Amino acid sequence: REISADRWLYFFTLFVTIILFVIAYNILRGRIGRALVAIRDQPIAAEAMGINNAMYKSITFGVSAMYTGIAGALGAIVVQFVAPDSFAPLLSILFLVGVVIGGLATLSGAIYGAAFVQFAPNVAESVGGIPPQIVFGLFLIAFMYIMPKGVAWFIGNIKQKLRRRRPDPAR
């Protein structure tokens, strides 16, 4: 049975996304990831421990450019037309909103932030009688008030509390 072009594109994009997340997960769990965390938390101490800050920042920029290039190529395949007008300044603001909502420095936070940016405007438009911008703004304020470090931190915190409550089977 043949699949439609839209489904093929969806599965292809999903496949590329999974591969990129696996690569990012492995980078963050390895030597480079530990060095990046050290540089983020204490750059002077990381330099004193022998970590070459300039090299790791250059590697980070290169990996970031690779991910952005792949995302741009996938976007061009989907839209089949790319022009500077295609990317409004609002898109940059939405990316920042996604980072704040999802949580900084976590892979799962990227997923939560992307889901929020994708689906929150639709939910805001479905609320009748109130302009969608106000509903979206209220979502943002509520998320930042309830989860100041992002959804990923909040979920991780809940998991940690649930693990503490579970009785130890070794006892």
Side-chain angles (χ1 to χ4, degrees):
R1 183 173 143 178
E2 254 183 67
I3 63 171
S4 68
D6 288 340
R7 283 192 180 188
W8 182 89
L9 192 56
Y10 169 77
F11 286 123
F12 176 72
T13 305
L14 183 65
F15 177 72
V16 171
T17 303
I18 290 170
I19 288 174
L20 291 177
F21 265 93
V22 168
I23 291 170
Y25 180 82
N26 287 330
I27 288 173
L28 290 176
R29 297 292 178 242
R31 181 178 178 194
I32 294 174
R34 288 191 304 273
L36 292 177
V37 169
I39 292 169
R40 181 193 68 203
D41 292 344
Q42 293 290 330
I44 296 171
E47 188 82 40
M49 291 182 347
I51 295 173
N52 186 348
N53 287 359
M55 181 188 75
Y56 282 104
K57 287 181 180 182
S58 298
I59 289 171
T60 303
F61 180 78
V63 170
S64 169
M66 178 192 75
Y67 274 71
T68 305
I70 292 171
L74 289 173
I77 290 171
V78 170
V79 178
Q80 296 183 355
F81 176 77
V82 179
D85 301 353
S86 303
F87 306 101
L90 181 63
L91 185 63
S92 295
I93 294 170
L94 285 175
F95 286 157
L96 288 173
V97 166
V99 167
V100 169
I101 294 297
L104 191 61
T106 59
L107 287 176
S108 60
I111 295 170
Y112 300 136
F116 179 83
V117 167
Q118 182 65 37
F119 297 117
N122 297 340
V123 173
E125 287 177 4
S126 68
V127 175
I130 303 173
Q133 294 86 357
I134 293 176
V135 176
F136 190 73
L138 290 174
F139 278 157
L140 283 175
I141 292 169
F143 267 94
M144 288 188 288
Y145 182 73
I146 296 169
M147 303 172 225
K149 294 184 181 178
V151 176
W153 172 83
F154 185 75
I155 290 175
N157 203 12
I158 289 173
K159 284 181 182 178
Q160 192 176 32
K161 285 181 182 180
L162 290 175
R163 267 191 233 122
R164 283 189 208 144
R165 283 189 184 179
R166 192 177 307 150
D168 188 13
R171 290 186 197 186

